[in-house]
Amino acid sequence: MHDGTPSSQAPPADDVTERLGYRLKRAAAALRGAMDRALREHGLTVPQYACLELLDQRPGLSNAELARGTFVTRQSMNVVLRGLQDAGLITRPATTDRGRALPARLTEEGHRRLAAARSVVYAIDQRVTDAVPERRLAELLADLDHMAAALDG
């Protein structure tokens, strides 16, 4: 278990493929590729799917809240939301009383498309989870949280 103190056990800098950051990026790229391929069959991108998931859990989130929750810029989220709206998967009011935020909500078709896509995404997540021995999973998840926290601030 990691106690939070810095380690001097980093691999030699001349072999970048042995560094933790490289391995994390490789795993993230493999996950993203699998999700891209699976979601393409449902007419969605990964950011669109993530946006639908968030709106299913918390209807009415603003562009900024969705951008933070899906790890994209606000400008990119504008494009995502326009695409979802054009596809009839979400609705947004033309104006709002709350200032500039235009809260988005899933349509019936958005709920249907999310339900269909969710099963393939959850299957991919299960493949990733199954690759980690069950006895180590909780510790790995905690370590990933610690890594993110170490870089967030």
Side-chain angles (χ1 to χ4, degrees), residues 11-24 26:
D14 59 341
D15 189 355
V16 70
T17 64
E18 293 299 316
R19 303 214 37 103
L20 179 59
Y22 181 89
R23 299 247 180 124
L24 281 170
R26 185 173 140 218

Side-chain angles (χ1 to χ4, degrees), residues 1-16:
M1 186 155 153
H2 188 264
D3 63 5
T5 58
S7 171
S8 61
Q9 300 299 321
D14 59 341
D15 189 355
V16 70

